[in-house]
Amino acid sequence: MGDAQFFDAVYEVVRAVPRGRVVTYGQVARLLGLTRGARAVGWALRALGGGRSQRVPWHRVLGAGGRVSLGDTPAGHEQRRRLRAEGVRFVGLRVDLRAHGWLEGDAPPPAPARAAQRRSGAPRTSRARRRS
DNA sequence: TCTCTGACTACAA
DNA sequence: ATTGTAGCCAGAG
């Protein structure tokens, strides 16, 4: 595991999400300077595994539109359980982002997130990326 | 070193 | 609304 700075940056942003608030994978990616890095964020959270998830409120990260990406899995059920325990209301299978979104409405700009962005925005290995 | 894959998502058709 | 594709990062084979 080499430069896991990206993962750490993701964890720091997620730890900054207040109780009862949620963010989407895409929003976390954007805070880190990646317009389309949502998938990478999901990869980072997945890497948490069971144990480390203790200090990272992974359950407050949802898919676009407030959907629970984990779906009908043990983890997905746990995520919904935790969110409801924090007072997050579900509308059907989604969370109302306008009501609970960390970055929605009149929420103050997350400073910790910007700090993480600075660290992550460092020189990017310019290895050739193909994939037609 | 290269390819494939995934707790994603914006965009085009 | 549904489908396909491209782009992101890092780990596995």
Side-chain angles (χ1 to χ4, degrees):
Chain A
M1 300 199 266
D3 320 327
Q5 58 175 350
F6 173 74
F7 278 25
D8 291 331
V10 170
Y11 303 149
E12 183 169 348
V13 170
V14 176
R15 281 202 303 275
V17 181
R19 233 185 106 82
R21 292 290 189 132
V22 299
V23 282
T24 66
Y25 296 94
Q27 289 174 330
V28 173
R30 296 188 91 155
L31 286 174
L32 295 176
L34 298 176
T35 306
R36 296 179 183 176
R39 202 174 186 182
V41 172
W43 182 252
L45 293 182
R46 178 184 174 286
L48 280 174
R52 289 176 186 155
S53 58
Q54 284 246 277
R55 41 190 220 90
V56 180
W58 55 270
H59 59 283
R60 306 209 260 246
V61 184
L62 300 167
R67 272 187 282 267
V68 176
S69 297
L70 290 169
D72 186 23
T73 64
H77 193 269
E78 173 67 10
Q79 181 168 24
R80 281 185 285 271
R81 189 189 70 70
R82 292 193 184 194
L83 288 174
R84 281 196 301 266
E86 295 184 353
V88 174
R89 294 283 244 53
F90 279 82
V91 179
L93 296 176
R94 300 188 186 192
V95 166
D96 183 352
L97 293 181
R98 288 182 305 179
H100 302 288
W102 185 34
L103 308 178
E104 309 295 329
D106 43 12
R114 270 180 278 126
Q117 174 179 4
R118 226 176 302 117
R119 244 171 298 115
S120 175
R124 202 160 313 166
T125 51
S126 59
R127 59 166 157 145
R129 327 208 66 102
R130 19 69 223 160
R131 198 182 212 71
S132 58

